[in-house]
Amino acid sequence: LDPKAQTVLDEIEEHNVDFLRIQFTDILGTVKNVSIPASQAEKAFTEGIYFDGSSIEGFVRIQESDMRLRPDPNTFALLPWKTRDDGTASARLIADVTDASGADFKGDPRHVLKRALKRAGDMGYTLNAGPEPEFFLFEEEDGRATTITHDAGGYFDLAPKDLASDVRRDIIYGLEKMGFEVEASHHEVAEGQHEIDFKYDDGLTTADNIATFRAVVRAIAAEHDLHSTFMPKPIAGINGSGMHTHLSLFTEDGENVFHDEDDEFNLSETAKQFLAGVLEHAPAITAVCNPTVNSYKRLVPGYEAPVYVAWSDVNRTALIRKPAARTPAASRVELRSPDPSCNPYLALAVMLHAGLDGIERGLDAPDPVRENIYEFDESTREEYNIDVLPPNLGAAIDALEADDVILDALGKHVAEKFIEAKRAEFDEYRVAVSEWELEKYLETF
Ligand code: ADP
Ligand code: MG
Ligand code: MG
Ligand code: MG
Ligand code: MG
Protein backbone atom coordinates (compact mmCIF):
# COMPACT_ATOMS: atom_id res chain seq x y z
CA LEU A 1 0.00 0.00 0.00
CA ASP A 2 1.21 3.49 -0.87
CA PRO A 3 2.43 5.20 2.35
CA LYS A 4 0.09 8.14 1.78
CA ALA A 5 -2.86 5.75 1.51
CA GLN A 6 -1.72 4.11 4.76
CA THR A 7 -1.79 7.53 6.45
CA VAL A 8 -5.38 7.92 5.28
CA LEU A 9 -6.32 4.53 6.76
CA ASP A 10 -4.76 5.63 10.05
CA GLU A 11 -6.75 8.86 10.01
CA ILE A 12 -9.93 6.95 9.31
CA GLU A 13 -9.25 4.92 12.50
CA GLU A 14 -8.29 7.92 14.56
CA HIS A 15 -11.32 10.04 13.65
CA ASN A 16 -13.82 7.21 13.79
CA VAL A 17 -14.85 7.69 10.16
CA ASP A 18 -17.63 5.32 9.19
CA PHE A 19 -18.42 6.51 5.69
CA LEU A 20 -16.28 7.80 2.84
CA ARG A 21 -17.58 9.94 0.07
CA ILE A 22 -15.65 9.33 -3.12
CA GLN A 23 -15.98 12.35 -5.42
CA PHE A 24 -15.31 13.07 -9.05
CA THR A 25 -16.56 15.69 -11.50
CA ASP A 26 -18.35 15.19 -14.79
CA ILE A 27 -17.64 17.23 -17.92
CA LEU A 28 -20.23 19.85 -17.00
CA GLY A 29 -18.59 20.34 -13.60
CA THR A 30 -21.22 18.58 -11.51
CA VAL A 31 -19.70 16.81 -8.51
CA LYS A 32 -20.66 13.13 -8.33
CA ASN A 33 -20.48 11.06 -5.16
CA VAL A 34 -20.16 7.38 -4.43
CA SER A 35 -20.40 6.51 -0.76
CA ILE A 36 -18.53 3.52 0.66
CA PRO A 37 -18.23 2.17 4.22
CA ALA A 38 -14.83 3.03 5.68
CA SER A 39 -14.08 -0.68 5.98
CA GLN A 40 -13.76 -0.70 2.18
CA ALA A 41 -11.12 2.05 2.08
CA GLU A 42 -8.10 -0.22 1.75
CA LYS A 43 -9.69 -2.12 -1.12
CA ALA A 44 -10.63 1.18 -2.75
CA PHE A 45 -6.94 2.17 -2.75
CA THR A 46 -5.65 -1.15 -4.03
CA GLU A 47 -8.36 -2.15 -6.50
CA GLY A 48 -10.39 0.99 -7.08
CA ILE A 49 -14.15 1.25 -6.99
CA TYR A 50 -16.13 -0.06 -9.92
CA PHE A 51 -19.07 1.95 -11.22
CA ASP A 52 -21.28 2.22 -14.27
CA GLY A 53 -19.90 5.11 -16.34
CA SER A 54 -22.89 5.20 -18.68
CA SER A 55 -25.00 6.60 -15.87
CA ILE A 56 -22.91 9.80 -15.84
CA GLU A 57 -23.61 12.63 -18.30
CA GLY A 58 -21.05 12.78 -21.09
CA PHE A 59 -18.91 9.92 -19.85
CA VAL A 60 -19.22 6.79 -21.99
CA ARG A 61 -21.57 4.75 -24.13
CA ILE A 62 -23.37 1.80 -22.55
CA GLN A 63 -21.21 -0.82 -24.24
CA GLU A 64 -18.08 0.50 -22.54
CA SER A 65 -19.60 1.38 -19.22
CA ASP A 66 -17.32 -0.45 -16.77
CA MET A 67 -15.34 2.32 -15.12
CA ARG A 68 -13.25 2.55 -12.00
CA LEU A 69 -12.56 5.28 -9.45
CA ARG A 70 -9.03 5.57 -8.06
CA PRO A 71 -9.14 7.71 -4.90
CA ASP A 72 -6.27 10.19 -4.54
CA PRO A 73 -4.96 9.82 -0.96
CA ASN A 74 -3.73 13.44 -1.01
CA THR A 75 -7.33 14.65 -1.04
CA PHE A 76 -8.52 13.06 2.21
CA ALA A 77 -10.55 15.46 4.33
CA LEU A 78 -13.10 15.13 7.12
CA LEU A 79 -16.47 16.67 6.30
CA PRO A 80 -16.88 19.17 9.14
CA TRP A 81 -20.65 19.40 8.83
CA LYS A 82 -20.95 15.61 9.06
CA THR A 83 -19.46 15.00 12.49
CA ARG A 84 -22.17 13.30 14.54
CA ASP A 85 -22.99 13.36 18.25
CA ASP A 86 -21.95 9.72 18.68
CA GLY A 87 -18.41 10.70 17.65
CA THR A 88 -18.50 9.13 14.19
CA ALA A 89 -17.52 11.20 11.19
CA SER A 90 -17.66 11.21 7.40
CA ALA A 91 -14.79 12.05 5.12
CA ARG A 92 -14.24 12.48 1.44
CA LEU A 93 -11.63 11.54 -1.13
CA ILE A 94 -11.38 12.91 -4.65
CA ALA A 95 -10.86 10.23 -7.26
CA ASP A 96 -9.38 9.90 -10.72
CA VAL A 97 -11.51 8.01 -13.20
CA THR A 98 -10.05 5.05 -15.09
CA ASP A 99 -11.45 2.49 -17.49
CA ALA A 100 -11.89 -1.11 -16.40
CA SER A 101 -8.23 -1.87 -17.15
CA GLY A 102 -7.05 0.96 -14.88
CA ALA A 103 -5.93 3.31 -17.67
CA ASP A 104 -6.66 7.05 -17.25
CA PHE A 105 -10.05 7.91 -18.69
CA LYS A 106 -9.85 10.67 -21.34
CA GLY A 107 -13.28 12.00 -20.36
CA ASP A 108 -12.24 12.75 -16.78
CA PRO A 109 -11.78 16.52 -16.29
CA ARG A 110 -9.13 15.86 -13.65
CA HIS A 111 -7.19 13.91 -16.26
CA VAL A 112 -7.50 16.83 -18.70
CA LEU A 113 -5.98 19.14 -16.10
CA LYS A 114 -3.22 16.66 -15.25
CA ARG A 115 -2.31 16.52 -18.92
CA ALA A 116 -2.02 20.34 -19.00
CA LEU A 117 0.12 20.34 -15.83
CA LYS A 118 2.33 17.67 -17.37
CA ARG A 119 2.91 19.85 -20.43
CA ALA A 120 3.92 22.72 -18.13
CA GLY A 121 6.13 20.31 -16.16
CA ASP A 122 7.89 19.19 -19.33
CA MET A 123 8.66 22.86 -20.02
CA GLY A 124 10.07 23.20 -16.48
CA TYR A 125 7.09 24.95 -14.86
CA THR A 126 4.56 24.33 -12.13
CA LEU A 127 1.31 26.26 -12.28
CA ASN A 128 0.12 28.27 -9.29
CA ALA A 129 -3.49 29.34 -9.32
CA GLY A 130 -5.53 31.41 -6.87
CA PRO A 131 -9.27 31.97 -7.43
CA GLU A 132 -11.62 34.61 -6.06
CA PRO A 133 -15.02 32.95 -6.15
CA GLU A 134 -18.12 35.09 -5.61
CA PHE A 135 -21.57 33.81 -4.74
CA PHE A 136 -24.98 34.91 -3.53
CA LEU A 137 -26.88 33.80 -0.46
CA PHE A 138 -30.64 33.84 -0.92
CA GLU A 139 -33.57 33.02 1.27
CA GLU A 140 -35.54 29.85 0.81
CA GLU A 141 -39.31 29.75 0.75
CA ASP A 142 -41.15 26.45 1.18
CA GLY A 143 -37.88 24.66 0.51
CA ARG A 144 -37.30 26.45 -2.79
CA ALA A 145 -34.60 28.99 -3.60
CA THR A 146 -35.69 32.58 -4.12
CA THR A 147 -33.71 35.61 -5.24
CA ILE A 148 -34.52 37.46 -2.03
CA THR A 149 -31.21 38.46 -0.51
CA HIS A 150 -31.15 37.54 3.12
CA ASP A 151 -29.23 40.60 4.25
CA ALA A 152 -31.93 42.84 2.82
CA GLY A 153 -34.54 40.68 4.55
CA GLY A 154 -32.52 40.78 7.76
CA TYR A 155 -32.29 44.53 7.54
CA PHE A 156 -36.02 45.04 7.33
CA ASP A 157 -36.65 42.39 9.95
CA LEU A 158 -34.30 44.20 12.30
CA ALA A 159 -32.37 40.95 12.67
CA PRO A 160 -28.81 41.36 13.94
CA LYS A 161 -26.98 43.34 11.28
CA ASP A 162 -24.17 40.83 10.98
CA LEU A 163 -26.34 37.86 10.04
CA ALA A 164 -24.48 37.69 6.74
CA SER A 165 -21.10 37.73 8.39
CA ASP A 166 -22.23 34.97 10.79
CA VAL A 167 -22.88 32.66 7.86
CA ARG A 168 -19.66 33.71 6.19
CA ARG A 169 -17.76 33.06 9.40
CA ASP A 170 -19.20 29.53 9.64
CA ILE A 171 -18.27 28.89 6.01
CA ILE A 172 -14.72 30.05 6.70
CA TYR A 173 -14.46 27.81 9.79
CA GLY A 174 -15.69 24.91 7.66
CA LEU A 175 -13.13 25.66 4.95
CA GLU A 176 -10.31 25.97 7.47
CA LYS A 177 -11.25 22.63 9.01
CA MET A 178 -10.90 21.15 5.55
CA GLY A 179 -7.40 22.56 5.22
CA PHE A 180 -8.03 25.82 3.37
CA GLU A 181 -5.98 28.91 4.07
CA VAL A 182 -8.55 31.69 3.73
CA GLU A 183 -6.82 34.97 2.84
CA ALA A 184 -9.73 37.36 2.65
CA SER A 185 -13.48 37.43 2.76
CA HIS A 186 -15.88 40.26 2.29
CA HIS A 187 -19.32 41.32 1.43
CA GLU A 188 -19.47 42.24 -2.25
CA VAL A 189 -20.90 45.28 -4.02
CA ALA A 190 -24.29 43.67 -4.50
CA GLU A 191 -26.68 42.84 -1.67
CA GLY A 192 -26.48 39.18 -0.68
CA GLN A 193 -23.21 38.72 -2.55
CA HIS A 194 -20.03 37.41 -0.95
CA GLU A 195 -16.45 36.64 -1.84
CA ILE A 196 -14.02 34.34 -0.07
CA ASP A 197 -10.43 34.19 -1.35
CA PHE A 198 -8.18 31.33 -0.42
CA LYS A 199 -4.47 30.98 -0.88
CA TYR A 200 -3.10 29.95 -4.24
CA ASP A 201 -1.77 26.46 -4.66
CA ASP A 202 -0.63 24.17 -7.45
CA GLY A 203 -3.16 23.79 -10.27
CA LEU A 204 -4.55 20.40 -9.29
CA THR A 205 -5.00 21.31 -5.63
CA THR A 206 -6.70 24.57 -6.59
CA ALA A 207 -9.16 22.85 -8.93
CA ASP A 208 -9.96 20.31 -6.19
CA ASN A 209 -10.30 23.20 -3.75
CA ILE A 210 -12.80 25.04 -5.96
CA ALA A 211 -14.96 21.91 -6.21
CA THR A 212 -14.73 21.49 -2.42
CA PHE A 213 -15.39 25.18 -1.83
CA ARG A 214 -18.70 25.02 -3.66
CA ALA A 215 -19.75 21.97 -1.63
CA VAL A 216 -18.81 23.61 1.69
CA VAL A 217 -20.62 26.85 0.89
CA ARG A 218 -23.73 24.95 -0.18
CA ALA A 219 -23.77 22.73 2.91
CA ILE A 220 -23.17 25.48 5.45
CA ALA A 221 -25.58 27.93 3.84
CA ALA A 222 -28.21 25.18 4.00
CA GLU A 223 -27.56 24.82 7.74
CA HIS A 224 -28.58 28.47 8.00
CA ASP A 225 -31.65 27.82 5.83
CA LEU A 226 -30.12 29.81 3.02
CA HIS A 227 -29.59 28.90 -0.59
CA SER A 228 -26.15 29.62 -2.01
CA THR A 229 -25.75 30.06 -5.73
CA PHE A 230 -22.76 30.24 -8.03
CA MET A 231 -25.00 31.18 -10.93
CA PRO A 232 -23.09 34.00 -12.68
CA LYS A 233 -25.86 36.62 -12.89
CA PRO A 234 -28.88 35.83 -10.73
CA ILE A 235 -30.30 39.37 -10.74
CA ALA A 236 -30.35 41.65 -13.78
CA GLY A 237 -28.98 45.12 -13.20
CA ILE A 238 -26.65 44.29 -10.32
CA ASN A 239 -23.14 42.80 -10.29
CA GLY A 240 -22.84 39.16 -11.21
CA SER A 241 -20.58 36.57 -9.60
CA GLY A 242 -17.17 36.03 -11.11
CA MET A 243 -14.21 33.89 -10.24
CA HIS A 244 -11.13 35.97 -11.08
CA THR A 245 -8.24 33.57 -11.42
CA HIS A 246 -4.65 34.51 -10.56
CA LEU A 247 -1.96 32.57 -12.41
CA SER A 248 1.80 32.27 -12.25
CA LEU A 249 4.46 29.75 -13.22
CA PHE A 250 7.16 28.71 -10.79
CA THR A 251 10.27 26.64 -11.41
CA GLU A 252 10.60 23.33 -9.60
CA ASP A 253 12.73 25.17 -7.01
CA GLY A 254 9.88 27.51 -6.24
CA GLU A 255 11.18 30.53 -8.09
CA ASN A 256 8.54 32.70 -9.74
CA VAL A 257 9.22 32.71 -13.49
CA PHE A 258 6.74 35.56 -13.94
CA HIS A 259 8.78 38.03 -11.89
CA ASP A 260 11.30 40.46 -13.33
CA GLU A 261 12.70 43.11 -11.01
CA ASP A 262 13.80 45.34 -13.89
CA ASP A 263 10.60 45.36 -15.90
CA GLU A 264 8.24 48.34 -15.64
CA PHE A 265 5.42 45.97 -14.63
CA ASN A 266 7.67 43.47 -12.82
CA LEU A 267 6.64 40.97 -15.47
CA SER A 268 9.19 38.71 -17.13
CA GLU A 269 9.32 38.08 -20.86
CA THR A 270 7.87 34.62 -20.18
CA ALA A 271 4.95 36.14 -18.27
CA LYS A 272 4.22 38.50 -21.17
CA GLN A 273 4.29 35.65 -23.66
CA PHE A 274 1.93 33.68 -21.39
CA LEU A 275 -0.35 36.69 -21.18
CA ALA A 276 -0.27 37.11 -24.98
CA GLY A 277 -1.24 33.45 -25.38
CA VAL A 278 -4.22 33.86 -23.07
CA LEU A 279 -5.31 36.99 -24.97
CA GLU A 280 -5.01 35.21 -28.31
CA HIS A 281 -7.11 32.24 -27.17
CA ALA A 282 -9.50 34.32 -25.06
CA PRO A 283 -12.59 33.82 -27.29
CA ALA A 284 -12.23 30.02 -27.25
CA ILE A 285 -11.45 29.67 -23.55
CA THR A 286 -14.54 31.75 -22.80
CA ALA A 287 -16.70 28.77 -23.77
CA VAL A 288 -15.06 26.77 -20.98
CA CYS A 289 -14.60 29.51 -18.37
CA ASN A 290 -18.12 30.91 -18.97
CA PRO A 291 -20.07 27.81 -19.88
CA THR A 292 -23.70 28.79 -19.27
CA VAL A 293 -26.22 30.93 -21.12
CA ASN A 294 -26.38 33.06 -18.02
CA SER A 295 -22.58 33.63 -17.98
CA TYR A 296 -22.97 36.13 -20.81
CA LYS A 297 -25.38 38.28 -18.83
CA ARG A 298 -22.44 38.97 -16.52
CA LEU A 299 -19.95 39.75 -19.30
CA VAL A 300 -21.44 43.15 -20.12
CA PRO A 301 -20.04 46.67 -19.66
CA GLY A 302 -20.56 48.53 -16.42
CA TYR A 303 -20.17 45.94 -13.64
CA GLU A 304 -16.38 45.46 -13.48
CA ALA A 305 -16.73 42.30 -15.59
CA PRO A 306 -14.49 42.07 -18.65
CA VAL A 307 -15.83 42.46 -22.17
CA TYR A 308 -12.75 43.51 -24.11
CA VAL A 309 -9.66 41.45 -24.87
CA ALA A 310 -6.87 43.59 -23.41
CA TRP A 311 -4.63 43.72 -20.37
CA SER A 312 -3.85 46.44 -17.90
CA ASP A 313 -1.71 47.11 -14.87
CA VAL A 314 -4.13 49.62 -13.45
CA ASN A 315 -7.71 49.25 -14.48
CA ARG A 316 -10.30 46.60 -13.75
CA THR A 317 -12.16 46.79 -17.04
CA ALA A 318 -9.53 44.74 -18.88
CA LEU A 319 -9.69 40.97 -19.34
CA ILE A 320 -6.29 40.50 -17.72
CA ARG A 321 -4.96 42.61 -14.89
CA LYS A 322 -1.45 42.64 -13.54
CA PRO A 323 -2.03 43.15 -9.80
CA ALA A 324 0.58 45.09 -7.86
CA ALA A 325 2.95 42.58 -6.26
CA ARG A 326 4.72 43.32 -3.00
CA THR A 327 7.13 40.39 -3.29
CA PRO A 328 8.63 38.45 -6.22
CA ALA A 329 6.52 35.43 -5.24
CA ALA A 330 3.37 37.50 -5.75
CA SER A 331 4.01 38.49 -9.38
CA ARG A 332 1.10 37.05 -11.32
CA VAL A 333 -1.56 37.76 -13.91
CA GLU A 334 -5.26 37.84 -13.09
CA LEU A 335 -7.77 36.56 -15.62
CA ARG A 336 -11.05 38.29 -14.80
CA SER A 337 -13.49 36.50 -17.09
CA PRO A 338 -14.03 33.08 -15.43
CA ASP A 339 -17.20 32.64 -13.43
CA PRO A 340 -17.96 30.09 -10.73
CA SER A 341 -20.29 28.03 -12.96
CA CYS A 342 -17.26 26.67 -14.80
CA ASN A 343 -15.74 23.25 -14.42
CA PRO A 344 -12.57 24.24 -12.48
CA TYR A 345 -10.46 21.41 -13.93
CA LEU A 346 -11.28 22.24 -17.53
CA ALA A 347 -11.05 25.99 -16.92
CA LEU A 348 -7.54 25.81 -15.45
CA ALA A 349 -6.49 23.38 -18.20
CA VAL A 350 -7.52 25.72 -21.04
CA MET A 351 -6.04 28.83 -19.37
CA LEU A 352 -2.75 27.01 -18.89
CA HIS A 353 -2.57 25.60 -22.42
CA ALA A 354 -3.38 29.05 -23.85
CA GLY A 355 -0.55 30.61 -21.87
CA LEU A 356 1.94 27.85 -22.66
CA ASP A 357 1.09 28.22 -26.35
CA GLY A 358 2.06 31.90 -26.05
CA ILE A 359 5.39 30.92 -24.46
CA GLU A 360 6.12 28.22 -27.03
CA ARG A 361 5.43 30.56 -29.92
CA GLY A 362 7.18 33.50 -28.25
CA LEU A 363 4.15 35.76 -28.74
CA ASP A 364 4.50 39.48 -28.06
CA ALA A 365 2.12 41.03 -25.56
CA PRO A 366 0.36 44.19 -26.71
CA ASP A 367 0.80 47.37 -24.67
CA PRO A 368 -1.35 47.60 -21.55
CA VAL A 369 -4.49 49.72 -21.81
CA ARG A 370 -4.74 52.23 -19.01
CA GLU A 371 -7.99 53.93 -19.91
CA ASN A 372 -11.51 52.78 -19.09
CA ILE A 373 -12.22 50.52 -22.07
CA TYR A 374 -15.99 50.61 -21.44
CA GLU A 375 -15.83 54.21 -22.61
CA PHE A 376 -14.01 53.50 -25.89
CA ASP A 377 -16.03 53.79 -29.07
CA GLU A 378 -15.60 51.26 -31.84
CA SER A 379 -13.01 53.25 -33.77
CA THR A 380 -10.83 53.72 -30.68
CA ARG A 381 -11.06 49.99 -30.03
CA GLU A 382 -10.00 49.34 -33.61
CA GLU A 383 -7.12 51.75 -33.27
CA TYR A 384 -5.92 49.86 -30.16
CA ASN A 385 -6.71 46.53 -31.88
CA ILE A 386 -8.97 45.40 -29.05
CA ASP A 387 -11.20 42.37 -29.63
CA VAL A 388 -14.52 41.72 -27.92
CA LEU A 389 -15.35 38.52 -26.00
CA PRO A 390 -18.09 36.31 -27.50
CA PRO A 391 -21.48 37.90 -26.73
CA ASN A 392 -23.27 34.63 -25.97
CA LEU A 393 -22.76 30.92 -25.43
CA GLY A 394 -23.42 30.11 -29.10
CA ALA A 395 -20.70 32.47 -30.29
CA ALA A 396 -18.32 31.15 -27.64
CA ILE A 397 -18.85 27.56 -28.84
CA ASP A 398 -18.15 28.75 -32.41
CA ALA A 399 -14.89 30.31 -31.19
CA LEU A 400 -13.96 27.10 -29.38
CA GLU A 401 -14.61 25.02 -32.49
CA ALA A 402 -12.31 27.32 -34.47
CA ASP A 403 -9.37 27.05 -32.04
CA ASP A 404 -7.30 23.87 -32.39
CA VAL A 405 -5.05 24.66 -29.44
CA ILE A 406 -7.98 24.81 -27.05
CA LEU A 407 -9.71 21.80 -28.64
CA ASP A 408 -6.46 19.86 -28.10
CA ALA A 409 -6.33 21.16 -24.53
CA LEU A 410 -9.68 19.50 -23.85
CA GLY A 411 -8.88 16.39 -25.86
CA LYS A 412 -11.19 14.86 -28.44
CA HIS A 413 -13.50 13.08 -26.01
CA VAL A 414 -14.17 16.05 -23.74
CA ALA A 415 -14.29 18.58 -26.59
CA GLU A 416 -16.96 16.59 -28.46
CA LYS A 417 -19.12 15.94 -25.40
CA PHE A 418 -18.75 19.49 -24.14
CA ILE A 419 -19.66 21.10 -27.46
CA GLU A 420 -22.60 18.75 -27.95
CA ALA A 421 -24.01 19.49 -24.49
CA LYS A 422 -23.45 23.24 -24.74
CA ARG A 423 -24.95 23.52 -28.25
CA ALA A 424 -28.05 21.74 -26.97
CA GLU A 425 -28.19 24.10 -23.97
CA PHE A 426 -27.92 27.15 -26.20
CA ASP A 427 -30.55 25.85 -28.64
CA GLU A 428 -32.92 25.22 -25.77
CA TYR A 429 -32.41 28.81 -24.65
CA ARG A 430 -32.86 30.18 -28.18
CA VAL A 431 -36.34 28.75 -28.53
CA ALA A 432 -37.50 29.62 -25.02
CA VAL A 433 -39.76 32.67 -24.69
CA SER A 434 -38.67 34.82 -21.76
CA GLU A 435 -40.48 37.07 -19.30
CA TRP A 436 -38.70 40.00 -20.90
CA GLU A 437 -40.14 39.21 -24.35
CA LEU A 438 -43.67 38.87 -23.01
CA GLU A 439 -43.39 42.17 -21.20
CA LYS A 440 -41.97 43.89 -24.27
CA TYR A 441 -44.17 42.47 -27.01
CA LEU A 442 -47.30 40.76 -25.74
CA GLU A 443 -49.36 43.93 -25.61
CA THR A 444 -47.42 45.93 -28.21
CA PHE A 445 -48.19 43.69 -31.15
P1 ADP B 1 -7.72 41.23 -6.05
O1 ADP B 1 -6.92 42.47 -5.88
O2 ADP B 1 -8.16 41.00 -7.45
O3 ADP B 1 -8.88 41.16 -5.07
P2 ADP B 1 -6.11 39.55 -4.36
O4 ADP B 1 -5.03 40.45 -3.93
O5 ADP B 1 -7.25 39.36 -3.40
O6 ADP B 1 -6.72 40.01 -5.75
O7 ADP B 1 -5.44 38.12 -4.74
C1 ADP B 1 -6.24 37.02 -4.93
C2 ADP B 1 -5.50 35.71 -5.17
O8 ADP B 1 -4.18 35.80 -5.74
C3 ADP B 1 -5.35 34.90 -3.89
O9 ADP B 1 -6.00 33.66 -4.09
C4 ADP B 1 -3.84 34.75 -3.76
O10 ADP B 1 -3.47 33.58 -3.06
C5 ADP B 1 -3.46 34.70 -5.21
N1 ADP B 1 -2.00 34.78 -5.48
C6 ADP B 1 -1.04 35.47 -4.83
N2 ADP B 1 0.17 35.23 -5.37
C7 ADP B 1 -0.02 34.37 -6.41
C8 ADP B 1 0.83 33.74 -7.37
N3 ADP B 1 2.15 33.95 -7.40
N4 ADP B 1 0.28 32.92 -8.28
C9 ADP B 1 -1.04 32.69 -8.29
N5 ADP B 1 -1.89 33.25 -7.42
C10 ADP B 1 -1.40 34.07 -6.49
MG1 MG C 1 -10.35 39.54 -3.88
MG1 MG D 1 -8.43 41.78 -3.08
MG1 MG E 1 -14.88 40.51 -6.02
MG1 MG F 1 -9.75 40.14 -8.41
Side-chain angles (χ1 to χ4, degrees):
L1 197 65
D2 160 313
K4 193 75 213 190
Q6 186 55 54
T7 314
V8 172
L9 296 183
D10 296 344
E11 290 210 47
I12 287 174
E13 270 300 302
E14 183 190 333
H15 297 287
N16 214 356
V17 172
D18 55 2
F19 274 94
L20 278 171
R21 249 192 228 179
I22 313 295
Q23 299 181 338
F24 60 101
T25 302
D26 72 7
I27 290 174
L28 301 184
T30 312
V31 175
K32 305 284 174 182
N33 284 291
V34 178
S35 200
I36 61 167
S39 58
Q40 298 299 303
E42 182 166 357
K43 195 166 146 217
F45 283 127
T46 53
E47 290 177 29
I49 300 151
Y50 289 86
F51 77 106
D52 176 5
S54 66
S55 59
I56 309 281
E57 173 87 43
F59 259 43
V60 280
R61 289 183 301 269
I62 300 174
Q63 56 271 34
E64 49 191 45
S65 58
D66 280 344
M67 311 283 296
R68 247 195 283 176
L69 298 175
R70 190 177 56 213
D72 179 344
N74 295 306
T75 63
F76 178 81
L78 295 170
L79 298 174
W81 61 94
K82 285 271 181 189
T83 310
R84 289 173 288 271
D85 293 339
D86 66 359
T88 58
S90 291
R92 73 85 203 261
L93 282 161
I94 295 174
D96 293 307
V97 185
T98 73
D99 64 17
S101 76
D104 284 347
F105 174 52
K106 304 255 185 312
D108 177 13
R110 209 165 183 259
H111 168 74
V112 172
L113 178 56
K114 283 185 168 179
R115 207 159 45 73
L117 299 171
K118 164 104 182 27
R119 178 178 173 202
D122 290 344
M123 293 167 75
Y125 306 132
T126 49
L127 171 70
N128 281 310
E132 300 181 79
E134 294 172 329
F135 58 92
F136 279 84
L137 294 174
F138 290 129
E139 289 189 354
E140 291 188 333
E141 238 168 53
D142 307 322
R144 300 208 44 142
T146 67
T147 52
I148 304 165
T149 58
H150 82 296
D151 36 347
Y155 178 69
F156 292 116
D157 291 339
L158 295 174
K161 265 221 295 279
D162 57 357
L163 186 62
S165 53
D166 277 1
V167 187
R168 211 166 53 234
R169 187 201 56 208
D170 286 354
I171 292 171
I172 291 167
Y173 284 160
L175 290 168
E176 285 175 344
K177 280 196 197 140
M178 292 192 76
F180 282 68
E181 189 175 323
V182 175
E183 289 191 326
S185 93
H186 57 93
H187 197 276
E188 268 298 340
V189 185
E191 252 172 25
Q193 195 185 29
H194 304 270
E195 175 179 313
I196 297 175
D197 303 339
F198 46 91
K199 188 170 195 286
Y200 71 91
D201 213 319
D202 68 87
L204 187 64
T205 305
T206 292
D208 285 342
N209 281 347
I210 293 167
T212 302
F213 178 85
R214 295 195 290 220
V216 172
V217 170
R218 191 159 305 130
I220 293 177
E223 281 186 346
H224 289 261
D225 297 319
L226 293 170
H227 179 82
S228 64
T229 185
F230 292 96
M231 177 180 180
K233 187 89 172 186
I235 303 172
I238 68 174
N239 284 47
S241 294
M243 188 171 72
H244 300 168
T245 304
H246 297 251
L247 303 165
S248 65
L249 297 176
F250 280 25
T251 63
E252 259 133 60
D253 312 325
E255 213 170 297
N256 189 350
V257 181
F258 274 17
H259 184 74
D260 180 355
E261 206 58 55
D262 301 327
D263 178 71
E264 175 184 6
F265 311 107
N266 286 145
L267 281 181
S268 67
E269 205 45 46
T270 307
K272 287 181 187 162
Q273 292 166 348
F274 185 97
L275 187 157
V278 176
L279 290 179
E280 176 163 313
H281 296 290
I285 68 179
T286 305
V288 178
C289 296
N290 307 87
T292 62
V293 162
N294 184 252
S295 296
Y296 297 84
K297 314 234 154 143
R298 167 177 166 259
L299 298 177
V300 297
Y303 301 93
E304 283 206 354
V307 183
Y308 303 111
V309 182
W311 78 280
S312 180
D313 58 326
V314 286
N315 84 56
R316 290 167 187 265
T317 58
L319 178 66
I320 296 179
R321 184 172 70 101
K322 161 66 181 71
R326 263 169 269 111
T327 62
S331 274
R332 61 190 188 272
V333 295
E334 176 190 36
L335 185 63
R336 300 171 59 79
S337 57
D339 71 54
S341 71
C342 70
N343 179 324
Y345 301 94
L346 300 183
L348 284 177
V350 295
M351 292 180 228
L352 178 55
H353 276 286
L356 294 178
D357 185 54
I359 296 175
E360 255 178 21
R361 290 162 55 211
L363 293 182
D364 281 327
D367 290 332
V369 179
R370 294 197 152 126
E371 298 93 328
N372 182 345
I373 314 173
Y374 293 155
E375 286 165 5
F376 284 10
D377 56 22
E378 212 174 307
S379 66
T380 318
R381 280 207 309 274
E382 263 166 34
E383 186 190 314
Y384 281 74
N385 204 6
I386 296 175
D387 239 347
V388 185
L389 288 179
N392 58 50
L393 184 59
I397 298 292
D398 291 343
L400 172 59
E401 281 187 312
D403 189 324
D404 287 336
V405 170
I406 303 306
L407 290 173
D408 283 348
L410 295 174
K412 194 164 177 294
H413 182 110
V414 170
E416 271 174 16
K417 300 284 182 193
F418 183 84
I419 289 170
E420 187 187 300
K422 291 299 159 182
R423 280 248 182 264
E425 188 172 329
F426 188 64
D427 284 344
E428 201 183 304
Y429 166 67
R430 246 170 21 86
V431 299
V433 176
S434 67
E435 271 315 305
W436 181 90
E437 287 163 277
L438 290 176
E439 234 162 74
K440 189 103 177 158
Y441 307 125
L442 187 62
E443 291 177 3
T444 315
F445 294 101

